[in-house]
Amino acid sequence: NPFDPHPPFDPPKEYLDRYDPDALPDPLFRQSDLERQTQFRNICQQAVHASDPTIGDNDKAEVTQFAAARPPSTFNGRKVKAAYYAMIELLDDQFGRLIDHLDAKGELENTLIIFHSDHGEQLCDHGLLYKGCRFFEGLVHVPLVFCWGGQIQSNQISDALVELADLAP
């Protein structure tokens, strides 16, 4: 489980340029989300103010602070998504290099690969950035992939609820 994608969402420009924020769908949001989020304001991370990840390096001195729940339009939710997707593509490319190297060395069949994530991101859905103490789909629907040629049956897809505690068994 690599550290990225994590805030700040700052992919290399050549990856970010592949994603047009205006072509991405808006975050999932209803005005009623704001009222619902206030019920959680004093729980865990929701009392923490997060800085806007869309502000460039030149503007660090002017970073605005805002409460965890705000309409996505106040922090450009599509731009946040574009940066996140670009970071995922970069990660996919680097992971692919690792797989290619194992294959070239003849070690792919001798290697158990487990790819997982500990959580997803809100990406401005429901007026929230980052992660937090919510059970929204964007936070909990994350990859758990096993690959070990000749040892694990390939092309099996399951919609079962799993968690990282399932790795040990």
Side-chain angles (χ1 to χ4, degrees):
N1 181 31
F3 180 75
D4 277 338
H6 266 90
F9 299 137
D10 57 355
K13 184 178 181 342
E14 62 268 22
Y15 281 84
L16 185 58
D17 288 347
R18 298 174 189 176
Y19 294 88
D20 176 8
D22 294 331
L24 295 174
D26 285 325
L28 300 174
F29 179 74
R30 292 180 299 212
Q31 199 62 34
S32 61
D33 285 331
L34 297 179
E35 184 177 326
R36 183 167 185 241
Q37 301 310 335
T38 61
Q39 299 169 11
F40 296 94
R41 189 163 299 221
N42 295 320
I43 299 174
C44 189
Q45 299 173 20
Q46 302 313 310
V48 175
H49 292 267
S51 61
D52 187 336
T54 64
I55 295 175
D57 289 336
N58 295 333
D59 301 322
K60 292 293 185 198
E62 299 178 20
V63 172
T64 57
Q65 300 289 317
F66 52 84
R70 301 260 316 248
S73 60
T74 65
F75 46 86
N76 196 338
R78 290 177 174 186
K79 191 172 179 181
V80 172
K81 280 186 177 187
Y84 186 77
Y85 294 166
M87 290 179 73
I88 289 173
E89 186 175 354
L90 172 63
L91 179 64
D92 285 349
D93 286 350
Q94 300 312 310
F95 193 68
R97 288 179 59 211
L98 177 61
I99 299 297
D100 290 345
H101 177 76
L102 288 168
D103 191 31
K105 295 292 183 183
E107 293 298 325
L108 192 54
E109 298 298 316
N110 298 323
T111 304
L112 169 62
I113 298 169
I114 303 172
F115 188 89
H116 63 89
S117 180
D118 55 345
H119 61 80
E121 294 289 342
Q122 292 291 1
L123 297 181
C124 310
D125 285 352
H126 312 288
L128 299 169
L129 275 172
Y130 313 130
K131 61 180 182 176
C133 55
R134 305 294 192 272
F135 203 72
F136 291 120
E137 189 71 10
L139 285 179
V140 298
H141 193 136
V142 297
L144 177 60
V145 179
F146 294 84
C147 179
W148 190 5
Q151 304 296 319
I152 296 176
Q153 189 174 1
S154 62
N155 297 319
Q156 295 297 305
I157 299 174
S158 172
D159 61 1
L161 178 63
V162 297
E163 55 188 330
L164 296 182
D166 294 322
L167 293 177

